[in-house]
Amino acid sequence: MSPVAMTLLLVVTLAAFAYSASKRWALMMTAKTPANRADRLGDRVKAVLVYMFGQKRMPRYAAAGWAHIIVFFGFMVLLLNSLILWGRGYVLGFNFWVFGEDQPLGMAYAFLRDIFTLLVILGVLVFYWNRLVLRLKRLTLNVEGVLILTIIFVMMISDFVYEGGLMVRAARAAGETGAHTHAFMPFSSMFGVAMSGLSDGAVNFLWHAGYWTHSALVLIFLNLLPYGKHFHIITVLPNVFARDLTPRGRIRPLEDIEGRLEREETLGVKAVEDLSWKDVLDFYTCTECGRCTDQCPAARTGKQLSPKHFTIGLRDYMYENQATLIAGPAPAAEGESADEKFMLVPETVKPEVLWACTTCGACEEECPVFISYIDKIIGVRQNLVMEQGTFPEQLQTMLQGIETVGNPYSYPNDQRADWAEGLDVPLMSDGPEIDYLYWVGCAASFDDRSRKVAKALAKLLKMAGVKFAILGPEETCNGDPARRAGNEYLFQMLATQNVELLNGYNIKRIVTACPHCYNTLKNEYPDFGGKFEVVHHSELLAQLIRDGKLKPKKSVSATLAFHDACYLGRHNDVYDAPREILRAIPGVQLREPEAARDRGMCCGAGGAQMWKEEEAGDSRINHARMQQLLDVLPGGNSCTIATACPFCKTMLSDALADKDHEEVGQLDIAELLLKSMEGE
Ligand code: SF4
Ligand code: SF4
């Protein structure tokens, strides 16, 4: 077409892109916390194949998801077309040899290109519809989104115009009228036919315009990427590859706290430089689709926390301060330390945002590009709690209770085994032979409602002939609320002490009815030397039913809605075991709320929320969740909300009482199973 023009276009646009990309790279490197993501290469490649190329999470939002899948594969197919077009700037009719249009592979490719060009147009129309007509709240309805869609739309149309022009020119060069259409290029052929009535000048103009518009727009598009949400087109592959492959519910231990304190180093995340390169890559990769916020229980109940805005707020803050951050810390103003100048809280991240998170994981489950939230939020909380001492006052009571008497309820720890009175449950200190250690947890030790669950579980284990014992006063809090409140120091003390105790007894298997204890013992204690198998009571009870050791026979006529606990379901993938138990109970009718399993809504207790006032919003999380569960129940006193977590139990029982729904029952799966067993 024009080698000079094409060379100029390529050199200028590629150089501009290289400049922008190098700045983004340098900005990413300002984050100082190391993150090793070079392990488990096979699993990482698999994640890329499944989640990026397989687009596995996309169809969770059907229309937008399928439109995205089409556009994604369209881009894959059409990338080659752009390379071919740039080549034609130098050699008219250029083609990579196997893709010549007279070769079978070339014809197959031309067919695919034709189909995908149309499909991408249709995909873009769906996105226009979501933005301009439906104006979906979860999206960022700004000019950038529409501009990029328009660029893609024009690029696709220009390709059809170029191909149509080629067909007409080929016919006229052969002294024929019409267009040299091809059956394997049906849509380009339609453009060819439509253009065949135009004058030579008009056809030539459109052919050139189609060519240069497509060739140039691809390069302009590339240059816009680093400045907006479409940067994910480039960063998604490394981001999915570098995703955290450790168990979902695990918080990474903060290393060497004592040493850091002595050296007066920062604890947790105070400024953006305390993040890791992977955190910054997360910011670059956010597509602003808003799926995270759409599922977030805090955002759904009107709190100030919106995970999407948390991410893009930090990203924009970094972009705005790019030059300063790359140059290194700016000299502090008088009376201000350099450190304070870049503090994230309260300007960039508001405390109300930070303390509203329940660590439920709904955002991370939904994010199609694997952006993490919990580690970042806990990182900032760690700094506030351990370094600055600014956190919600009510958390102090919980932390003090754990620190002084070993439980957040502040009860004397020697009352831990009181619930077991009369049940003949041995203590580990008596030296019994056991199959399982029953880790009771603070809630079932001290909270009256949960004590009933402990009793029910103990009875069931005895009925099934399972040999078990408890630690009694030797058990202390596992540390989950302290860790999630940001007091990593206290958590690590508890974890070390508990692991020492458990290893001292040579414990091999642990059962617990608390998903928070389950998650911590199973996923976090291995970092402190814990080497034991941990099962949730739902898993063990389901197995005992399967083995015929528990035979629920008595009819419990009730209609149940089961509530998935976040730390059992989303964080640990235990969805089926509790349902299996409920289905095994005669007379039970199990109903699923719309938000169930990996989309189940949090009860509002996790992430240390249980121990503080809920942040201000339109409604309470437990009330909203209760309503979702009630919506699938027919009403009346034969209805029960079933749970498998002491904190969910508390939150949902409170919600039922607050809203005068006391006719609706609320029982743990162990209590329901026991009802069906007693009297055997
Ligand atoms: S973990 Fe849960 S509460 Fe926290 S931001 Fe994500 S969805 Fe919201
Ligand atoms: S964090 Fe993930 S889910 Fe949330 S807006 Fe960004 S890409 Fe979408």
Side-chain angles (χ1 to χ4, degrees):
M1 281 273 187
S2 168
V4 176
M6 182 52 77
T7 306
L8 259 178
L9 180 68
L10 286 172
V11 169
V12 171
T13 52
L14 292 179
F17 174 73
Y19 175 80
S20 309
S22 71
K23 289 290 169 197
R24 292 295 188 240
W25 176 267
L27 184 62
M28 189 167 77
M29 290 298 124
T30 61
K32 301 231 165 26
T33 299
N36 173 22
R37 301 298 161 91
D39 58 339
R40 298 171 59 183
L41 292 179
D43 291 334
R44 297 193 178 282
V45 171
K46 192 172 158 202
V48 170
L49 293 177
V50 172
Y51 293 103
M52 194 193 118
F53 291 106
Q55 299 271 293
K56 191 170 174 203
R57 285 188 170 181
M58 272 300 161
R60 292 172 76 101
Y61 282 71
W66 282 106
H68 188 277
I69 290 171
I70 286 169
V71 172
F72 172 82
F73 285 108
F75 274 31
M76 297 269 110
V77 171
L78 298 172
L79 186 64
L80 179 65
N81 189 41
S82 297
L83 294 177
I84 293 172
L85 287 182
W86 294 335
R88 288 182 187 173
Y90 298 91
V91 181
L92 212 58
F94 170 83
N95 244 322
F96 294 109
W97 65 274
V98 281
F99 291 105
E101 271 159 26
D102 50 351
Q103 309 215 24
L105 209 53
M107 285 188 238
Y109 176 67
F111 174 72
L112 269 182
R113 186 185 62 205
D114 217 54
I115 299 294
F116 270 103
T117 305
L118 183 79
L119 287 176
V120 170
I121 290 173
L122 295 177
V124 167
L125 292 178
V126 172
F127 291 139
Y128 271 136
W129 183 262
N130 284 348
R131 282 179 179 275
L132 302 174
V133 182
L134 299 180
R135 301 191 64 75
L136 294 179
K137 244 177 81 188
R138 66 181 172 84
L139 300 174
T140 310
L141 300 171
N142 58 8
V143 179
E144 184 208 332
V146 178
L147 173 72
I148 294 286
L149 286 179
T150 308
I151 288 177
I152 299 172
F153 186 81
V154 174
M155 239 160 37
M156 297 303 112
I157 296 290
S158 63
D159 199 47
F160 277 145
V161 171
Y162 167 73
E163 292 294 343
L166 263 184
M167 290 173 185
V168 179
R169 281 166 57 92
R172 291 185 188 175
E176 296 163 13
T177 53
H180 274 185
T181 57
H182 303 293
F184 56 83
M185 292 170 71
F187 303 109
S188 297
S189 297
M190 283 162 66
F191 273 74
V193 171
M195 290 161 72
S196 60
L198 299 176
S199 67
D200 285 352
V203 170
N204 271 339
F205 172 78
L206 288 174
W207 176 64
H208 272 98
Y211 172 82
W212 286 108
T213 305
H214 186 113
S215 303
L217 273 184
V218 178
L219 292 161
I220 292 168
F221 182 71
L222 180 71
N223 273 278
L224 291 177
L225 297 184
Y227 297 95
K229 72 188 185 94
H230 291 88
F231 201 16
H232 76 268
I233 293 174
I234 294 171
T235 58
V236 66
L237 192 151
N239 205 56
V240 174
F241 182 85
R243 65 180 279 227
D244 191 352
L245 291 175
T246 57
R248 283 280 298 276
R250 169 183 175 260
I251 304 283
R252 276 195 301 275
L254 188 60
E255 315 246 310
D256 187 25
I257 300 179
E258 297 272 12
R260 285 176 196 234
L261 282 170
E262 274 166 29
R263 296 190 296 273
E264 294 188 4
E265 283 175 16
T266 304
L267 294 175
V269 176
K270 187 176 193 174
V272 275
E273 62 169 28
D274 303 318
L275 294 166
S276 72
W277 62 266
K278 173 61 177 64
D279 295 329
V280 182
L281 190 61
D282 273 359
F283 302 155
Y284 291 172
T285 310
C286 179
T287 68
E288 298 185 31
C289 66
R291 294 173 180 218
C292 51
T293 296
D294 208 28
Q295 298 297 326
C296 171
R300 287 168 91 159
T301 51
K303 314 291 183 289
Q304 287 198 40
L305 168 62
S306 150
K308 172 176 119 171
H309 292 99
F310 176 82
T311 287
I312 59 179
L314 285 167
R315 180 199 67 189
D316 292 348
Y317 171 81
M318 291 196 79
Y319 285 0
E320 279 157 26
N321 294 284
Q322 175 168 292
T324 327
L325 286 164
I326 293 173
E334 212 179 316
E336 179 190 53
S337 75
D339 217 18
E340 278 166 4
K341 191 174 170 66
F342 289 98
M343 264 171 60
L344 292 176
V345 182
E347 297 301 325
T348 312
V349 180
K350 288 193 187 149
E352 297 82 354
V353 166
L354 199 66
W355 292 109
C357 176
T358 69
T359 68
C360 70
C363 49
E364 298 183 359
E365 177 74 35
E366 209 63 40
C367 180
V369 293
F370 286 93
I371 286 168
S372 69
Y373 280 97
I374 297 170
D375 53 352
K376 296 185 189 87
I377 288 174
I378 299 291
V380 186
R381 286 184 183 181
Q382 284 172 350
N383 188 265
L384 291 184
V385 172
M386 293 190 290
E387 202 173 302
Q388 300 177 50
T390 50
F391 53 94
E393 218 182 299
Q394 310 97 21
L395 289 178
Q396 186 61 36
T397 315
M398 174 268 286
L399 294 170
Q400 241 166 22
I402 295 177
E403 208 171 336
T404 52
V405 287
N407 68 81
Y409 296 89
S410 297
Y411 282 106
N413 218 41
D414 58 9
Q415 291 177 10
R416 270 210 180 248
D418 286 5
W419 65 269
E421 226 175 272
L423 290 177
D424 193 23
V425 176
L427 294 176
M428 278 308 296
S429 52
D430 298 335
E433 237 183 67
I434 57 163
D435 302 318
Y436 286 91
L437 168 79
Y438 172 24
W439 179 279
V440 183
C442 301
S445 299
F446 300 111
D447 177 84
D448 282 343
R449 281 174 285 194
S450 295
R451 279 178 162 188
K452 290 181 189 157
V453 181
K455 284 183 189 171
L457 179 58
K459 286 181 188 171
L460 288 166
L461 293 179
K462 278 179 173 282
M463 284 175 187
V466 175
K467 287 186 268 172
F468 70 98
I470 58 173
L471 288 162
E474 287 189 285
E475 187 183 295
T476 58
C477 176
N478 69 70
D480 159 275
R483 184 171 231 197
R484 276 140 190 93
N487 196 334
E488 178 74 5
Y489 188 70
L490 179 55
F491 168 77
Q492 292 198 9
M493 263 172 49
L494 292 161
T496 312
Q497 178 187 315
N498 283 330
V499 167
E500 211 173 288
L501 177 73
L502 293 166
N503 286 350
Y505 279 123
N506 198 21
I507 301 293
K508 296 283 174 243
R509 288 192 292 183
I510 299 175
V511 61
T512 178
C514 171
H516 296 265
C517 297
Y518 172 71
N519 179 66
T520 303
L521 268 63
K522 181 177 173 176
N523 297 325
E524 298 187 331
Y525 278 12
D527 290 326
F528 299 87
K531 290 189 191 78
F532 21 76
E533 183 197 331
V534 188
V535 293
H536 186 248
H537 74 322
S538 60
E539 295 173 300
L540 180 57
L541 293 175
Q543 187 59 49
L544 293 171
I545 293 172
R546 256 177 260 139
D547 293 346
K549 292 184 178 159
L550 288 176
K551 294 186 181 119
K553 284 200 177 131
K554 214 167 131 190
S555 176
V556 177
S557 75
T559 310
L560 304 181
F562 178 68
H563 164 76
D564 288 284
C566 306
Y567 275 82
L568 185 62
R570 252 191 309 271
H571 286 303
N572 283 292
D573 279 327
V574 179
Y575 296 111
D576 294 328
R579 289 172 169 81
E580 201 180 324
I581 295 166
L582 295 174
R583 288 201 182 97
I585 300 174
V588 156
Q589 276 188 45
L590 184 59
R591 302 260 173 102
E592 291 283 358
E594 205 183 315
R597 300 178 75 94
D598 59 359
R599 276 230 170 130
M601 185 176 166
C602 177
C603 70
Q609 296 295 325
M610 177 81 187
W611 311 102
K612 64 182 270 294
E613 277 306 313
E614 197 164 312
E615 299 300 316
D618 304 332
S619 60
R620 295 184 64 85
I621 295 175
N622 61 336
H623 292 173
R625 179 53 175 163
M626 174 204 68
Q627 195 52 55
Q628 291 179 347
L629 295 157
L630 291 187
D631 284 348
V632 292
L633 292 174
N637 54 14
S638 68
C639 294
T640 297
I641 292 176
T643 51
C645 167
F647 297 116
C648 299
K649 185 177 184 61
T650 302
M651 297 305 275
L652 293 169
S653 306
D654 286 353
L656 289 169
D658 291 347
K659 296 285 175 184
D660 294 328
H661 283 301
E662 270 139 344
E663 78 286 358
V664 178
Q666 199 298 296
L667 292 169
D668 184 274
I669 47 169
E671 294 174 288
L672 283 156
L673 181 58
L674 186 66
K675 273 178 174 236
S676 179
M677 298 290 303
E678 271 179 340
E680 254 204 337

